Amino acid sequence: MNKDIEASRLRVSRRRALALGGTISLGGLIAACSGNSGTTTTTSAAAASTTTTSGASAAATSGDAVTALLAKAPQCVMSKEETQGPYWFDVDSIRGDIREDRPGTTLQVAMRVQDNSQCNVDGSIGAVSNAVVEIWHCDAGGVYSGFESGSLSANGGGGTPPAGGMGEPPSGAPGGGMGEPPSGAPGGMGGGMGGSGETSDGSYSVGDTEATTTDDGTYLRGAQTTDANGIAQFTTIFPGWYMGRTTHIHVKVHIDKKTVLTSQTFFDETLLDEVYSQSPYSEHTGRENNTNNASDGIYDDTGLMTVEKQSDGSYLAVINLGIDA
């Protein structure tokens, strides 16, 4: 196991108030985004599969680079509702850089929210501004902030399983793997951790079932407000993997504090092989014997991200999220 990952797990996590002390208020960010005058994408119909291209511009977060790649991604496709899994809580943090101290390959993420009732075939209309896009995912070693003990246990590393039990692995997942069963599955997982009785009550999420955290970590969690083009951007690290699941990023879309989409996004297997051949991911061995996209019971093609490798070795990953606004 990578020493940097192990050392960071053994440290007492900083208090959330300190970790999130520099975040921007939701009201202030919405006001800023409302004044955005970005140009709406007007390109041809997108390719149907994820692409990985070397030698792209290093300015991964520039408007031109992001909208150009979003134009290559599938447009006006309804995103599939997925389980939020056992490791969600309302971090209530508007911030673009969610890495904190996690080692790993830099990943720029851009998600465009599209109203499918208005969206046209090239995605040039139907963008939803002032929605809040929230993401969270595991670190390079397969561990989630707020649940280090439980996610280590689920990943075969000992520790204490999360309250409410692990539930059953999804269809096609290896026996004994963690998995993330759909709502209503045994073990009380469903949309959260069974038995916590807690619901979100933050600046952008109200009434969603939360899991009870076991530590005060907040890394690789955060939210951004969509701009005039419906786009929210994040700086994170490429997510790792854990037993029973293919690599994924969790996402929620909130409008007026109501969750209108809970889903997961995925990556091409060839790209995963490329990223995981490098440190710190290469220290987490055994993925070849675990779940991939084809055998994952939650994977869906509508969640496949379109990715380009940047000249500095980082990656830009984008997706159009289709909702009924």
Side-chain angles (χ1 to χ4, degrees):
M1 183 175 293
N2 181 270
K3 293 181 179 179
D4 290 337
I5 298 173
E6 182 64 15
S8 62
R9 287 176 186 158
L10 295 176
R11 291 198 302 271
V12 176
S13 299
R14 63 174 65 92
R15 306 305 297 175
R16 288 197 181 111
L18 295 177
L20 305 179
T23 58
I24 304 171
S25 71
L26 177 61
L29 190 56
I30 287 178
C33 288
S34 296
N36 232 348
S37 59
T39 302
T40 304
T41 305
T42 55
T43 54
S44 59
S49 61
T50 295
T51 58
T52 306
T53 305
S54 299
S57 168
T61 56
S62 73
D64 289 345
V66 168
T67 54
L69 193 54
L70 280 166
K72 298 178 183 178
Q75 307 275 355
C76 307
V77 177
M78 184 64 68
S79 295
K80 185 178 179 181
E81 284 283 334
E82 303 279 15
T83 173
Q84 72 181 20
Y87 298 132
W88 180 80
F89 66 94
D90 183 15
V91 71
D92 200 19
S93 172
I94 296 289
R95 58 176 181 169
D97 189 336
I98 63 174
R99 293 173 294 180
E100 294 188 26
D101 60 355
R102 295 295 101 175
T105 299
T106 299
L107 179 69
Q108 304 289 342
V109 173
M111 296 181 172
R112 177 166 57 187
V113 181
Q114 296 178 321
D115 180 357
N116 269 23
S117 67
Q118 301 181 41
C119 189
N120 60 352
V121 292
D122 65 3
S124 61
I125 61 173
V128 180
S129 61
N130 294 338
V132 175
V133 177
E134 177 185 10
I135 67 171
W136 70 101
H137 61 84
C138 68
D139 69 6
V143 172
Y144 283 88
S145 63
F147 307 93
E148 289 188 346
S149 176
S151 50
L152 273 169
S153 174
N155 208 19
T160 304
M166 295 307 299
E168 298 295 327
S171 174
M178 186 181 88
E180 289 176 13
S183 178
M189 284 174 62
M193 297 274 239
S196 74
E198 300 173 1
T199 57
S200 58
D201 187 19
S203 60
Y204 52 78
S205 175
V206 174
D208 284 5
T209 301
E210 294 184 282
T212 301
T213 57
T214 56
D215 60 75
D216 62 1
T218 58
Y219 53 81
L220 308 180
R221 298 177 182 270
Q224 284 281 272
T225 305
T226 57
D227 63 15
N229 295 313
I231 300 171
Q233 294 189 52
F234 300 88
T235 300
T236 185
I237 63 166
F238 207 98
W241 64 274
Y242 52 87
M243 293 172 62
R245 285 303 317 279
T246 194
T247 303
H248 60 281
I249 294 177
H250 294 271
V251 57
K252 283 177 178 274
V253 178
H254 310 275
I255 297 178
D256 296 330
K257 298 188 178 183
K258 178 183 178 182
T259 301
V260 297
L261 175 68
T262 300
S263 194
Q264 299 180 25
T265 66
F266 307 98
F267 299 89
D268 179 77
E269 288 287 344
T270 301
L271 172 62
L272 294 178
D273 290 342
E274 176 183 318
V275 173
Y276 291 163
S277 68
Q278 307 165 37
S279 180
Y281 305 94
S282 57
E283 303 300 321
H284 187 196
T285 59
R287 177 177 169 269
E288 63 276 6
N289 300 318
N290 217 279
T291 308
N292 57 22
N293 289 347
S295 60
D296 185 83
I298 295 176
Y299 173 85
D300 189 85
D301 284 342
T302 60
L304 194 62
M305 301 196 81
T306 299
V307 183
E308 281 186 351
K309 188 172 184 178
Q310 308 299 287
S311 60
D312 62 358
S314 67
Y315 293 86
L316 171 61
V318 307
I319 192 168
N320 293 302
L321 300 173
I323 66 168
D324 280 330

